Amino acid sequence: MNIRPESVRFENHEDGRIGTGEASPRLSWIIPEAPPAWKQEAYAVEVVRESTGAQRFVVTGSEQVLVPWPDAALRSRERARVRVQVRGGAVWSAWSAWAEVEVGLLDRSDWVSQLIAPSWPEDSAELRRPGRLRKVFTVPADIASARLYLTGHGLVEAEINGTRVGDEQLTPGWTSYSHRLRYATFDVTPQLIAGDNAIGVWLGDGWWRGQVGFGSRNVDNYGTRIGALCQLEITDSTGERLIVPSDGSWRASPGPIISSGLYEGERFDARLHDMQWSCADFDQEGWAAVEVLPPVAARLVAPDGPPIRVIEELQPVRIDDRGDGRWILDFGQNHSGRLRLRTNGHRGDIRTFRHAEILLNGEPVYEPLRDAHATDAFICNGEDGYWSPRFTIHGYRFVEVQGWYGPMLPSDVVSQVMHSDMERRGWFSSSDARLNRLHESAVWGLRSNFVDIPTDCPQRDERLGWTGDVQVFAPAATFVYDVVGFLQSWLQDLAVEQETVGHVPLWVPFVQIPILSDYFEVGPTAVWSDVAVLLPHTLYKYSGDLGLVRRQYESAKSFLGAVETLAGADLICPAFAQLGDWLDPAAPPDDPTAALTEKELVATAYFARSAERLAELAHSLGEFTDAARYRRLRERVAVAYAGRFVLPGGLLTSDTQTGYALTTVFHLWPDAAHAQAGAKRLAGLIRAAGWTVGTGFAGTPVIADALTLGGYLADAYRLLQNDQFPSWLYMIKSGATTLWERWDSLRPDGAINDASMTSFNHYALGSVLDWMHTTIAGIAPAAPGFRRIRFAPRPGGTLTSASARHRTPYGEASIAWVDSDHGLHVDVRVPVGTEAEVALPDGITHFVGHGRHSFLADTRN
Ligand code: BGC
């Protein structure tokens, strides 16, 4: 067997990403196949750098995930080629293919550019017309390479000589702009020509000064001016570097974008557009001087995660001519993105496109969008071509079109699905097609909401980085996509906001939203703020990235310290300013916090959980004193919890599904007898509810686990496979293509929940995917990064088969089981570099190394 490492990767970056921010990038690789007993005992890394030539570094050990950079640190702009070879026994393997890394601008002094902006006056009471910037420059004949480093206040998109630079969308994304501003790096070598060239930059309001949040016109959150900071660096064949910086020599002009807002949509007048505007010979008569703005105060940082891109295009499944001048397009799937349209109207035609998540009685419903107009408008110039809005994004399945005269053909319009371009990692399938659709819908929920930051919803005037939503959904998310780089970026913002706000805020990046002031003036909120501990814990479990844990450690500790202070001497968290089991089905539409379970119980249970998880993180970091302290704290909280909420006989003061589920899964019962009685009570409650769900954001992620742990697996299956309201499959039965915010976003009487907060694309209730992966299919990491894998399928319900696969950091692991007359057939695949325990439902556990293994479990009685 030919052993050869593959997929050499730097940090958490996608293949070929240039402009990374790590001077000593950690390396990972996978070993696709090796003989059964083979183990990596050493590895060699060959690093080729212009300064030092080729060097080979040999390291003894079995590590292959995020191993330290073996060479001296890289410098700004430096490129290195790397390949890896591994040894098990005496023989070295073949070399991997070369992988390349290129570092971005590491030091502030690398930036010679200035932040520039249009200088005309603007009125912030209105939607402002964004400008464009341009500059002509001369390039020598022998270009070896050219890079564009690009960022700005607001959103930026560059063109060189009439051609768009790169394929990234909504650059630079949304970070805590006052602290961290990301820049993007593009290879623009092929776009330059010897002689005169031009660069142009489109500007958009974006998160910088556009509307963010709801309740009032909440604009200018970071500033009133939008502008670009960009640096074009051209290296010739002798290594000489020519820099074209953004500076006072650029010119500015309003462009054909009349207005653009993330919520509002974009209005584009093609009559004002000259495609040549970013070419050297364009007549820039009338273009004004730019203003050089004060230097960017924030740290300029390279991306940790992937950029937003157009990921795929959806064709309309239906184009409905309403005969009244309106067309309704149905793309068959709720998603986030924008349209790409044919522009073949008559000069002056105004075509409008309003986006909606659902139709009711055949008509689009806009109320759930609240004040987000989600309307794009295109004013035709009589020319044929294609157009997409640049600086807006919508959450929708349907689009209402007006102003389209003549037939509308499938070739006239597609929807471009946009989100952060994370790698797909995990899949699930079963013999119940409804569960497969549930899985798929939750995955679409992730795809719609992982748009540079993890948002709550993609459609209405909100789209904030709500901390609780991603906290509960993270285990599911981490299985289906590689979200580590993406979330690691967001966690850094969480840490900086935590410092400024004084505690972990409910949404990150944090901007003041006056209507929510009650929420942000108080301390940490259970379920939400716990993300500071629980998210690094989840990410570590799935990725093995201890560096990430190290980076977040102070934030996690300081969060828990704040909870300790809040709880005080009795260690019980007060109900004040808690969101509790947010949105359980009993909560009235206008008060989602008025759920059945006591807020103190939810918050104190979470206090114990976070203390336990932080102890584990401290232990992994070798912080043993901390670990012991947090373990003791966790024990004390558990005792306080039992004293306050557990009644004799295994009942709780909150006799609710969520109460029992949290107590069971967080191991808060004082002893086994209580645990048993509590589990029985939980099953009793579920049965009395006809196997419908009674949980909100706090209880939903743990309800199926609690039934499983308590010995009521059959009830867990019945709950999941039930399609009566309220349940997951009720949503699916009602046609959900993404999961809803509320169990009754669409009510059983067919009406839309008229609460002002009703989304059809939230992922929190999709947290049940974790149970589908770990219990139905039965695959979970047993050691960080899946170094040890636990396969423990627990068939049940009406299922006759199920399978899941996941691309672990070591390569693909999978499990498939089929129920037959002979028992349960189980096939697993264990990647090289890992080992697995296969705990079968017949009570037998097998320990196996890498490779494919099959088992038959006797489950016939
Ligand atoms: C969001 C949530 C969020 C909640 C907390 C809502 O408006 O959509 O998902 O977690 O508020 O208050």
Side-chain angles (χ1 to χ4, degrees):
M1 192 180 288
N2 208 356
I3 300 173
R4 184 172 192 232
E6 254 182 23
S7 309
V8 174
R9 196 173 136 108
F10 302 94
E11 291 291 329
N12 294 303
H13 297 299
E14 62 185 11
D15 258 10
R17 188 83 193 260
I18 60 169
T20 63
E22 298 86 6
S24 300
R26 294 169 301 167
L27 300 169
S28 309
W29 56 89
I30 63 171
I31 301 164
E33 50 173 4
W38 189 90
K39 281 216 167 6
Q40 177 189 304
E41 289 163 8
Y43 61 86
V45 179
E46 188 173 19
V47 181
V48 183
R49 297 165 73 162
E50 214 181 273
S51 51
T52 46
Q55 277 180 286
R56 184 168 180 262
F57 302 87
V58 178
V59 180
T60 307
S62 59
E63 300 301 324
Q64 63 178 94
V65 171
L66 297 167
V67 306
W69 175 250
D71 198 0
L74 297 163
R75 293 181 315 273
S76 287
R77 308 175 181 91
E78 191 174 354
R79 271 178 92 76
R81 289 203 301 158
V82 168
R83 58 180 183 166
V84 174
Q85 192 183 28
V86 294
R87 180 176 62 71
V91 192
W92 282 99
S93 74
W95 284 106
S96 70
W98 289 104
E100 292 192 41
V101 64
E102 181 181 311
V103 179
L105 302 182
L106 298 176
D107 300 313
R108 194 52 182 258
S109 59
D110 293 321
W111 289 88
V112 295
S113 302
Q114 293 170 306
L115 179 64
I116 53 169
S119 52
W120 56 81
E122 293 173 297
D123 178 3
S124 58
E126 311 259 311
L127 275 177
R128 286 155 283 192
R129 181 171 167 191
R132 292 186 299 190
L133 309 168
R134 63 171 252 125
K135 160 92 186 165
V136 176
F137 57 95
T138 309
V139 167
D142 57 339
I143 310 166
S145 73
R147 296 289 181 265
L148 179 68
Y149 303 97
L150 175 69
T151 185
H153 285 172
L155 299 174
V156 285
E157 190 181 299
E159 287 181 14
I160 290 179
N161 298 331
T163 315
R164 189 190 194 292
V165 171
D167 59 359
E168 305 189 2
Q169 306 292 339
L170 304 179
T171 306
W174 191 11
T175 47
S176 294
Y177 290 140
S178 325
H179 307 272
R180 302 194 320 129
L181 180 63
R182 245 189 246 133
Y183 64 90
T185 304
F186 302 98
D187 178 359
V188 293
T189 321
Q191 279 173 266
L192 297 177
I193 47 169
D196 285 348
N197 292 257
I199 177 168
V201 178
W202 295 86
L203 300 175
D205 289 1
W207 298 278
W208 183 269
R209 72 169 190 189
Q211 168 86 14
V212 174
F214 54 97
S216 56
R217 195 153 178 276
N218 209 36
V219 296
D220 296 340
N221 282 289
Y222 297 95
T224 55
R225 308 285 298 276
I226 52 173
L229 176 71
C230 60
Q231 187 155 310
L232 176 61
E233 299 195 353
I234 304 158
T235 312
D236 69 16
S237 52
T238 67
E240 195 73 25
R241 194 183 306 134
L242 166 76
I243 297 186
V244 181
S246 50
D247 60 19
S249 68
W250 288 49
R251 309 294 288 177
S253 162
I257 298 178
I258 304 303
S259 64
S260 182
L262 292 162
Y263 301 167
E264 293 88 343
E266 195 158 298
R267 193 175 178 86
F268 188 92
D269 190 340
R271 294 170 306 181
L272 306 175
H273 189 35
D274 182 338
M275 308 271 267
Q276 300 300 308
W277 77 279
S278 62
C279 297
D281 54 5
F282 171 78
D283 176 8
Q284 62 179 36
E285 168 85 33
W287 280 56
V290 295
E291 187 177 334
V292 175
L293 298 182
V296 170
R299 228 158 31 91
L300 291 169
V301 296
D304 295 287
I308 300 171
R309 290 199 177 98
V310 171
I311 307 294
E312 66 176 295
E313 293 189 336
L314 302 179
Q315 302 288 333
V317 296
R318 192 153 176 224
I319 300 179
D320 190 7
D321 181 356
R322 289 299 163 94
D324 56 1
R326 295 180 312 140
W327 301 79
I328 305 291
L329 311 179
D330 177 1
F331 290 96
Q333 172 64 55
N334 207 4
H335 64 285
S336 62
R338 63 179 187 201
L339 298 180
R340 180 168 190 266
L341 297 151
R342 185 105 185 256
T343 60
N344 56 350
H346 297 106
R347 189 175 173 84
D349 282 0
I350 304 178
R351 294 174 163 178
T352 64
F353 307 88
R354 192 164 188 199
H355 302 70
E357 287 190 289
I358 51 164
L359 301 183
L360 199 58
N361 305 320
E363 286 300 317
V365 185
Y366 298 116
E367 284 73 22
L369 306 187
R370 294 195 302 229
D371 290 331
H373 291 295
T375 305
D376 297 327
F378 181 82
I379 306 173
C380 302
N381 62 357
E383 283 169 29
D384 201 0
Y386 287 92
W387 173 78
S388 288
R390 269 189 183 74
F391 297 126
T392 192
I393 181 165
H394 309 291
Y396 61 104
R397 169 176 164 180
F398 301 96
V399 179
E400 180 180 356
V401 182
Q402 296 199 42
W404 193 286
Y405 307 109
M408 190 166 191
L409 306 172
S411 55
D412 290 335
V413 55
V414 290
S415 187
Q416 301 189 314
V417 176
M418 275 163 63
H419 51 80
S420 290
D421 193 5
M422 306 153 294
E423 185 194 330
R424 184 82 195 251
R425 282 289 175 99
W427 294 265
F428 169 90
S429 172
S430 77
S431 55
D432 185 343
R434 301 168 312 160
L435 293 188
N436 301 345
R437 181 66 240 196
L438 167 65
H439 194 272
E440 171 102 4
S441 299
V443 168
W444 272 104
L446 180 157
R447 297 182 58 185
S448 313
N449 282 298
F450 277 39
V451 179
D452 207 57
I453 61 155
T455 59
D456 56 334
C457 55
Q459 75 297 85
R460 67 176 178 227
D461 50 359
E462 189 149 3
R463 315 184 198 181
L464 299 174
W466 284 96
T467 49
D469 303 46
V470 67
Q471 187 277 108
V472 299
F473 187 60
T478 311
F479 187 87
V480 292
Y481 270 93
D482 179 0
V483 296
V484 181
F486 170 89
L487 289 174
Q488 146 185 338
S489 171
W490 181 77
L491 277 169
Q492 291 171 63
D493 287 332
L494 179 129
V496 295
E497 302 290 20
Q498 183 180 5
E499 269 193 31
T500 349
V501 177
H503 56 85
V504 176
L506 284 167
W507 59 92
V508 170
F510 183 77
V511 289
Q512 304 262 351
I513 296 171
I515 196 174
L516 296 178
S517 59
D518 285 357
Y519 286 122
F520 57 73
E521 276 160 15
V522 293
T525 306
V527 183
W528 276 257
S529 310
D530 290 270
V531 76
V533 171
L534 300 182
L535 185 55
H537 189 275
T538 300
L539 294 176
Y540 178 52
K541 201 166 128 185
Y542 280 82
S543 68
D545 189 345
L546 197 58
L548 181 150
V549 177
R550 172 58 71 198
R551 182 139 62 165
Q552 294 305 126
Y553 189 54
E554 281 312 312
S555 147
K557 275 174 53 170
S558 128
F559 153 73
L560 202 73
V563 181
E564 258 185 284
T565 310
L566 189 76
D570 67 359
L571 298 174
I572 301 295
C573 298
F576 176 66
Q578 293 291 346
L579 298 175
D581 192 21
W582 178 260
L583 281 176
D584 86 5
D590 58 348
D591 187 2
T593 71
L596 295 178
T597 309
E598 292 155 275
K599 291 174 180 157
E600 296 91 329
L601 181 149
V602 172
T604 310
Y606 257 87
F607 182 14
R609 180 59 147 194
S610 278
E612 177 188 7
R613 294 309 201 199
L614 185 55
E616 290 170 17
L617 293 179
H619 184 86
S620 308
L621 290 172
E623 303 281 357
F624 300 119
T625 318
D626 283 0
R629 174 171 127 59
Y630 293 124
R631 258 196 310 274
R632 274 197 310 276
L633 176 61
R634 190 260 165 214
E635 287 321 308
R636 285 169 46 229
V637 178
V639 170
Y641 178 92
R644 168 71 174 73
F645 303 109
V646 179
L647 301 171
L651 291 185
L652 292 172
T653 51
S654 286
D655 191 28
T656 61
Q657 292 184 16
T658 292
Y660 292 103
L662 289 173
T663 313
T664 302
V665 173
F666 294 177
H667 304 289
L668 293 169
W669 295 108
D671 55 44
H674 279 87
Q676 213 178 7
K680 189 164 172 211
R681 179 66 189 154
L682 173 60
L685 286 176
I686 295 278
R687 289 173 192 174
W691 292 274
T692 59
V693 180
T695 53
F697 275 33
T700 302
V702 286
I703 185 74
D705 291 303
L707 288 164
T708 312
L709 269 176
Y712 296 91
L713 180 70
D715 292 282
Y717 268 99
R718 229 168 137 172
L719 180 70
L720 186 67
Q721 289 192 291
N722 187 7
D723 64 8
Q724 296 307 298
F725 172 79
S727 65
W728 289 278
L729 291 188
Y730 162 76
M731 294 190 227
I732 300 305
K733 188 173 73 175
S734 310
T737 59
T738 47
L739 299 193
W740 307 339
E741 175 171 30
R742 296 171 178 267
W743 294 108
D744 61 349
S745 285
L746 188 64
R747 295 199 321 234
D749 64 7
I752 285 177
N753 193 313
D754 57 8
S756 70
M757 195 190 80
T758 301
S759 136
F760 292 85
N761 201 351
H762 256 61
Y763 49 60
L765 303 181
S767 51
V768 71
L769 257 50
D770 183 47
W771 188 76
M772 295 167 75
H773 303 143
T774 58
T775 307
I776 299 186
I779 173 170
F786 286 87
R787 187 123 218 222
R788 207 169 62 248
I789 304 171
R790 181 170 163 83
F791 293 108
R794 293 293 173 264
T798 64
L799 295 190
T800 53
S801 66
S803 63
R805 58 198 177 92
H806 176 75
R807 288 197 189 141
T808 76
Y810 297 87
E812 186 162 306
S814 66
I815 179 164
W817 60 256
V818 180
D819 217 355
S820 78
D821 294 344
H822 310 288
L824 190 76
H825 287 275
V826 181
D827 292 314
V828 301
R829 179 177 172 186
V830 181
V832 179
T834 71
E835 55 192 16
E837 57 195 57
V838 187
L840 296 175
D842 59 7
I844 302 175
T845 299
H846 306 263
F847 295 92
V848 293
H850 63 253
R852 292 175 188 274
H853 309 275
S854 298
F855 307 91
L856 180 64
D858 193 353
T859 47
R860 281 169 301 174
N861 41 19

